[in-house]
């Protein structure tokens, strides 16, 4: 049985991954266009908001939804790393900012794989 708020967690997993992907795209624009810095900063705010909403969805799956608490831990950790990522970006510490961005996107893709429904193997 799927916990009550699990569909919300699935949507937020996709939104968060899309926010991290958009961050990577705007990072390239940051290097190549004058308006790139403002766009990258705006998408950083969106990534932080997605992290907060993902954590709220994970809490809803766990507490009122009766699901696993494991999603809360990973959502909280991801949000903490996202905050650190934003702080490092504002401080212009690119040596840590860039690898953390890659880690966040990879982790968000793994999160999607954990929350999406599994398909039954085909039978012959």
């Amino acid at each position: 049985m799927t916990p009550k708020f699990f569909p919300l967690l699935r949507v937020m997993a996709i939104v968060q991954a899309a926010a991290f992907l958009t961050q990577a795209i705007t990072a390239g624009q940051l290097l190549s266009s004058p308006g790139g810095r403002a766009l990258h900063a705006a998408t950083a705010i969106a990534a932080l908001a997605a992290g907060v909403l993902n954590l709220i969805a994970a809490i809803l799956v766990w507490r009122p939804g009766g699901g696993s608490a494991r999603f809360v831990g990973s959502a909280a950790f991801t949000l903490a790393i996202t905050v650190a990522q934003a702080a490092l970006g504002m401080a212009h510490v690119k040596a840590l900012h860039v690898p953390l961005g890659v880690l966040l996107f990879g982790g968000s893709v793994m999160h999607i794989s954990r929350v999406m429904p599994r398909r039954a193997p085909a039978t012959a």
Side-chain angles (χ1 to χ4, degrees):
M1 184 171 126
T2 302
K4 182 177 180 180
F5 291 97
F6 215 75
L8 176 63
L9 185 62
R10 289 178 179 143
V11 168
M12 287 316 307
I14 293 168
V15 167
Q16 188 173 41
F20 290 142
L21 179 61
T22 305
Q23 273 293 99
I25 292 167
T26 60
Q29 291 175 339
L30 170 73
L31 300 173
S32 63
S33 71
R37 181 173 305 278
L39 191 56
H40 191 62
T43 58
I45 293 167
L48 285 166
V52 170
L53 293 173
N54 188 46
L55 178 57
I56 291 169
I59 291 168
L60 289 173
V61 164
W62 169 51
R63 262 336 231 177
S68 174
R70 69 183 176 158
F71 299 115
V72 176
S74 65
F77 179 73
T78 301
L79 180 58
I81 297 298
T82 305
V83 170
Q85 167 78 350
L88 289 167
M90 288 188 292
H92 304 289
V93 183
K94 294 177 189 139
L96 294 174
H97 181 72
V98 172
L100 271 182
V102 173
L103 176 72
L104 282 169
F105 181 69
S108 68
V109 171
M110 287 178 52
H111 180 57
I112 289 172
S113 73
R114 288 192 303 261
V115 299
M116 286 300 159
R118 307 259 189 255
R119 294 193 179 188
T123 57

mmCIF file of all heavy atoms in Angstrom, residues 4 8 12 20 25-26 29 34 37 42-43 46-47 59 61 65 72 97 110 114 119 121:
data_model
loop_
_atom_site.group_PDB
_atom_site.id
_atom_site.type_symbol
_atom_site.label_atom_id
_atom_site.label_comp_id
_atom_site.label_asym_id
_atom_site.label_seq_id
_atom_site.Cartn_x
_atom_site.Cartn_y
_atom_site.Cartn_z
ATOM 1 N N LYS A 4 -0.290 7.877 2.009
ATOM 2 C CA LYS A 4 -1.207 8.896 1.498
ATOM 3 C C LYS A 4 -0.522 10.009 0.690
ATOM 4 O O LYS A 4 -1.006 10.399 -0.352
ATOM 5 C CB LYS A 4 -1.950 9.503 2.690
ATOM 6 C CG LYS A 4 -2.970 10.538 2.332
ATOM 7 C CD LYS A 4 -3.683 11.015 3.589
ATOM 8 C CE LYS A 4 -4.710 12.058 3.262
ATOM 9 N NZ LYS A 4 -5.394 12.536 4.445
ATOM 10 N N LEU A 8 2.786 13.145 -3.769
ATOM 11 C CA LEU A 8 3.382 14.472 -3.586
ATOM 12 C C LEU A 8 4.908 14.361 -3.509
ATOM 13 O O LEU A 8 5.625 15.175 -4.097
ATOM 14 C CB LEU A 8 2.830 15.131 -2.317
ATOM 15 C CG LEU A 8 3.442 16.481 -1.942
ATOM 16 C CD1 LEU A 8 3.150 17.516 -3.021
ATOM 17 C CD2 LEU A 8 2.925 16.937 -0.583
ATOM 18 N N MET A 12 7.637 16.135 -5.957
ATOM 19 C CA MET A 12 8.689 17.000 -5.422
ATOM 20 C C MET A 12 10.086 16.470 -5.761
ATOM 21 O O MET A 12 11.010 17.253 -5.955
ATOM 22 C CB MET A 12 8.532 17.175 -3.907
ATOM 23 C CG MET A 12 7.363 18.067 -3.534
ATOM 24 S SD MET A 12 7.217 19.583 -4.539
ATOM 25 C CE MET A 12 8.832 20.298 -4.397
ATOM 26 N N PHE A 20 17.801 21.423 -9.788
ATOM 27 C CA PHE A 20 19.255 21.230 -9.821
ATOM 28 C C PHE A 20 19.779 21.228 -11.256
ATOM 29 O O PHE A 20 20.861 21.758 -11.533
ATOM 30 C CB PHE A 20 19.660 19.944 -9.093
ATOM 31 C CG PHE A 20 19.471 20.008 -7.603
ATOM 32 C CD1 PHE A 20 19.024 18.897 -6.912
ATOM 33 C CD2 PHE A 20 19.740 21.156 -6.890
ATOM 34 C CE1 PHE A 20 18.848 18.933 -5.531
ATOM 35 C CE2 PHE A 20 19.575 21.207 -5.507
ATOM 36 C CZ PHE A 20 19.128 20.097 -4.827
ATOM 37 N N ILE A 25 22.447 24.449 -15.819
ATOM 38 C CA ILE A 25 22.296 25.187 -17.078
ATOM 39 C C ILE A 25 22.617 26.661 -16.870
ATOM 40 O O ILE A 25 23.353 27.271 -17.651
ATOM 41 C CB ILE A 25 20.876 24.994 -17.652
ATOM 42 C CG1 ILE A 25 20.692 23.542 -18.097
ATOM 43 C CG2 ILE A 25 20.614 25.967 -18.796
ATOM 44 C CD1 ILE A 25 19.255 23.164 -18.379
ATOM 45 N N THR A 26 22.097 27.246 -15.795
ATOM 46 C CA THR A 26 22.354 28.662 -15.554
ATOM 47 C C THR A 26 23.796 28.910 -15.119
ATOM 48 O O THR A 26 24.291 30.026 -15.277
ATOM 49 C CB THR A 26 21.371 29.254 -14.530
ATOM 50 O OG1 THR A 26 21.500 28.568 -13.284
ATOM 51 C CG2 THR A 26 19.946 29.189 -15.043
ATOM 52 N N GLN A 29 25.419 29.658 -18.238
ATOM 53 C CA GLN A 29 25.064 31.013 -18.668
ATOM 54 C C GLN A 29 25.793 32.059 -17.836
ATOM 55 O O GLN A 29 26.118 33.134 -18.332
ATOM 56 C CB GLN A 29 23.556 31.210 -18.588
ATOM 57 C CG GLN A 29 22.817 30.385 -19.611
ATOM 58 C CD GLN A 29 21.310 30.483 -19.467
ATOM 59 O OE1 GLN A 29 20.806 30.831 -18.414
ATOM 60 N NE2 GLN A 29 20.606 30.182 -20.543
ATOM 61 N N PRO A 34 26.284 38.306 -19.587
ATOM 62 C CA PRO A 34 26.273 39.274 -18.489
ATOM 63 C C PRO A 34 25.123 39.070 -17.498
ATOM 64 O O PRO A 34 25.281 39.307 -16.315
ATOM 65 C CB PRO A 34 26.127 40.626 -19.187
ATOM 66 C CG PRO A 34 26.279 40.393 -20.636
ATOM 67 C CD PRO A 34 26.142 38.927 -20.891
ATOM 68 N N ARG A 37 24.549 35.787 -13.930
ATOM 69 C CA ARG A 37 24.657 35.755 -12.464
ATOM 70 C C ARG A 37 23.281 35.894 -11.808
ATOM 71 O O ARG A 37 22.948 35.155 -10.889
ATOM 72 C CB ARG A 37 25.598 36.851 -11.980
ATOM 73 C CG ARG A 37 25.779 36.848 -10.477
ATOM 74 C CD ARG A 37 26.844 37.820 -10.012
ATOM 75 N NE ARG A 37 28.131 37.615 -10.635
ATOM 76 C CZ ARG A 37 29.030 36.711 -10.266
ATOM 77 N NH1 ARG A 37 28.743 35.894 -9.273
ATOM 78 N NH2 ARG A 37 30.181 36.601 -10.872
ATOM 79 N N ALA A 42 18.670 33.404 -9.074
ATOM 80 C CA ALA A 42 17.221 33.160 -9.001
ATOM 81 C C ALA A 42 16.912 31.663 -8.979
ATOM 82 O O ALA A 42 16.044 31.214 -8.217
ATOM 83 C CB ALA A 42 16.520 33.827 -10.183
ATOM 84 N N THR A 43 17.627 30.893 -9.785
ATOM 85 C CA THR A 43 17.366 29.452 -9.782
ATOM 86 C C THR A 43 17.907 28.793 -8.516
ATOM 87 O O THR A 43 17.418 27.734 -8.124
ATOM 88 C CB THR A 43 17.933 28.770 -11.043
ATOM 89 O OG1 THR A 43 19.334 29.006 -11.129
ATOM 90 C CG2 THR A 43 17.238 29.280 -12.294
ATOM 91 N N ALA A 46 15.066 28.962 -6.224
ATOM 92 C CA ALA A 46 14.101 27.924 -6.599
ATOM 93 C C ALA A 46 14.563 26.549 -6.104
ATOM 94 O O ALA A 46 13.745 25.745 -5.635
ATOM 95 C CB ALA A 46 13.906 27.905 -8.112
ATOM 96 N N ALA A 47 15.860 26.270 -6.192
ATOM 97 C CA ALA A 47 16.392 24.987 -5.717
ATOM 98 C C ALA A 47 16.231 24.863 -4.201
ATOM 99 O O ALA A 47 15.886 23.785 -3.686
ATOM 100 C CB ALA A 47 17.854 24.837 -6.112
ATOM 101 N N ILE A 59 8.113 14.542 5.216
ATOM 102 C CA ILE A 59 7.512 14.515 6.561
ATOM 103 C C ILE A 59 6.053 14.082 6.478
ATOM 104 O O ILE A 59 5.578 13.295 7.305
ATOM 105 C CB ILE A 59 7.668 15.886 7.247
ATOM 106 C CG1 ILE A 59 9.150 16.145 7.573
ATOM 107 C CG2 ILE A 59 6.811 15.968 8.512
ATOM 108 C CD1 ILE A 59 9.462 17.576 7.997
ATOM 109 N N VAL A 61 4.697 12.175 4.214
ATOM 110 C CA VAL A 61 4.668 10.737 3.916
ATOM 111 C C VAL A 61 4.885 9.942 5.198
ATOM 112 O O VAL A 61 4.231 8.927 5.440
ATOM 113 C CB VAL A 61 5.727 10.371 2.848
ATOM 114 C CG1 VAL A 61 5.981 8.869 2.812
ATOM 115 C CG2 VAL A 61 5.287 10.863 1.483
ATOM 116 N N GLY A 65 1.092 10.203 6.974
ATOM 117 C CA GLY A 65 0.874 9.224 5.916
ATOM 118 C C GLY A 65 1.179 7.796 6.310
ATOM 119 O O GLY A 65 0.759 6.856 5.650
ATOM 120 N N VAL A 72 12.707 11.306 5.116
ATOM 121 C CA VAL A 72 12.913 12.544 5.871
ATOM 122 C C VAL A 72 14.401 12.796 6.052
ATOM 123 O O VAL A 72 14.881 13.919 5.844
ATOM 124 C CB VAL A 72 12.197 12.497 7.240
ATOM 125 C CG1 VAL A 72 12.500 13.739 8.060
ATOM 126 C CG2 VAL A 72 10.693 12.329 7.056
ATOM 127 N N HIS A 97 31.890 24.472 -4.563
ATOM 128 C CA HIS A 97 30.551 24.766 -5.088
ATOM 129 C C HIS A 97 30.197 23.870 -6.286
ATOM 130 O O HIS A 97 29.112 23.302 -6.340
ATOM 131 C CB HIS A 97 30.489 26.246 -5.485
ATOM 132 C CG HIS A 97 29.164 26.694 -6.016
ATOM 133 N ND1 HIS A 97 28.053 26.841 -5.221
ATOM 134 C CD2 HIS A 97 28.772 27.040 -7.268
ATOM 135 C CE1 HIS A 97 27.040 27.262 -5.957
ATOM 136 N NE2 HIS A 97 27.437 27.386 -7.213
ATOM 137 N N MET A 110 19.003 9.804 -7.907
ATOM 138 C CA MET A 110 18.867 8.593 -7.091
ATOM 139 C C MET A 110 17.584 8.638 -6.266
ATOM 140 O O MET A 110 16.905 7.621 -6.103
ATOM 141 C CB MET A 110 20.080 8.427 -6.176
ATOM 142 C CG MET A 110 21.323 7.991 -6.902
ATOM 143 S SD MET A 110 22.765 7.858 -5.835
ATOM 144 C CE MET A 110 22.174 6.829 -4.520
ATOM 145 N N ARG A 114 14.249 6.022 -6.057
ATOM 146 C CA ARG A 114 13.733 5.398 -4.835
ATOM 147 C C ARG A 114 12.245 5.640 -4.632
ATOM 148 O O ARG A 114 11.578 4.830 -3.989
ATOM 149 C CB ARG A 114 14.511 5.897 -3.616
ATOM 150 C CG ARG A 114 15.912 5.348 -3.516
ATOM 151 C CD ARG A 114 16.529 5.640 -2.162
ATOM 152 N NE ARG A 114 16.545 7.051 -1.848
ATOM 153 C CZ ARG A 114 17.591 7.855 -1.997
ATOM 154 N NH1 ARG A 114 18.711 7.381 -2.466
ATOM 155 N NH2 ARG A 114 17.509 9.119 -1.670
ATOM 156 N N ARG A 119 8.119 -1.473 -11.489
ATOM 157 C CA ARG A 119 7.285 -2.271 -12.406
ATOM 158 C C ARG A 119 7.614 -3.738 -12.212
ATOM 159 O O ARG A 119 8.765 -4.113 -12.017
ATOM 160 C CB ARG A 119 7.555 -1.864 -13.838
ATOM 161 C CG ARG A 119 7.115 -0.450 -14.092
ATOM 162 C CD ARG A 119 7.100 -0.175 -15.536
ATOM 163 N NE ARG A 119 6.648 1.219 -15.708
ATOM 164 C CZ ARG A 119 6.387 1.738 -16.845
ATOM 165 N NH1 ARG A 119 6.528 1.042 -17.952
ATOM 166 N NH2 ARG A 119 5.985 2.981 -16.926
ATOM 167 N N PRO A 121 8.457 -7.418 -13.303
ATOM 168 C CA PRO A 121 9.165 -7.942 -14.471
ATOM 169 C C PRO A 121 8.195 -8.623 -15.425
ATOM 170 O O PRO A 121 7.201 -9.225 -15.024
ATOM 171 C CB PRO A 121 10.170 -8.929 -13.903
ATOM 172 C CG PRO A 121 9.814 -9.125 -12.469
ATOM 173 C CD PRO A 121 8.870 -8.042 -12.071
#
